[in-house]
Every structure is written in structure tokens, then in C-alpha cells.
Amino acid sequence: MVTGGRILSDKVLNLTDENFEAEVLRSKEPVLVDFWASWCQPCRMIAPFVEEAAEQFAGRARVGKLDVDQNAAVADRYGINGIPTLLVFKDGRVVEQRVGALSKAEIFRLLESHAIALA
């Protein structure tokens, strides 16, 4: 997936209004969703951290990005007013939410608290 001229990790899900239910709400693993837009500078700032989280938590959690300009139905459904907004879904429901640009450590902590523990 290309965003802002950059190729995203193949571990980052490209979420849309059409695939959101299958990829997020029905996921067996927790899912971190980054609600973003290409014109949003703070969104672009955290993009590398989101990509790293997808790599780091592969097999324990899923990570996806949803462009709010292209997918207004899902953004409206979850009341996304400011971006970036990060939501963590578990068993089809939101279990945690953060608005604004987070540090890499904050994103990793957010996901770690919900990721599946490895045996």
C-alpha cells in the first residue's frame, strides 16, 4: 500500500468501508486501527511507528490503517472527529482509544496491553 509517497509494510492492513467488518470486527486477534488522512501531518509523523508495530506484533495482534477521506462510513460510525485517532478492537468492539500523535513507545504500550501473549 502506498501512502504519502511511502510504501507501507505488507503487515499493515489497508482498511476500507467494505472490508472493515471482515478484517477488524471478525478478527480473532486484537486490531489496532489508525484513522488517518494523507493531508494530516501528525498522521504522517506516526506512520512509521504504526508500521513498526505491525511488524513487531505480527501473530499477536493486527494493525491497519483507514483513510477517513476515502472511508467516511466507518469513520462516522466510530465518531472520528480528530486524526490521527487510534482505536484498539478486541472481539469486535473498541477497548481503547487515543487521539493525537503518539510516540512509538506509547503506540507499542497501547498494543502490548491487548496483544495475545505468546506461549
Side-chain angles (χ1 to χ4, degrees):
M1 179 168 98
V2 177
T3 176
R6 299 182 59 240
I7 297 173
L8 289 179
S9 160
D10 61 354
K11 301 241 187 301
V12 177
L13 301 166
N14 180 22
L15 300 171
T16 65
D17 287 342
E18 290 74 33
N19 72 6
F20 192 83
E21 184 171 338
E23 296 290 352
V24 177
L25 302 182
R26 289 195 217 137
S27 177
K28 301 292 183 211
E29 297 172 312
V31 184
L32 172 70
V33 178
D34 175 14
F35 289 84
W36 72 288
S38 60
W39 50 263
C40 168
Q41 185 61 36
C43 298
R44 292 200 309 261
M45 281 176 31
I46 71 166
F49 307 148
V50 172
E51 292 172 43
E52 280 186 60
E55 297 286 335
Q56 188 79 22
F57 289 90
R60 300 178 53 212
R62 304 174 84 201
V63 175
K65 294 175 72 72
L66 184 128
D67 183 329
V68 298
D69 289 336
Q70 306 289 323
N71 302 282
V74 170
D76 289 347
R77 178 178 176 182
Y78 291 98
I80 305 302
N81 295 318
I83 53 174
T85 292
L86 300 175
L87 299 183
V88 178
F89 289 81
K90 205 169 190 178
D91 300 321
R93 57 186 183 75
V94 176
V95 294
E96 198 140 2
Q97 175 176 334
R98 295 283 188 284
V99 178
L102 301 179
S103 70
K104 176 181 169 180
E106 290 170 316
I107 292 171
F108 276 48
R109 272 196 301 275
L110 177 65
L111 201 46
E112 183 66 49
S113 64
H114 298 287
I116 297 167
L118 293 177

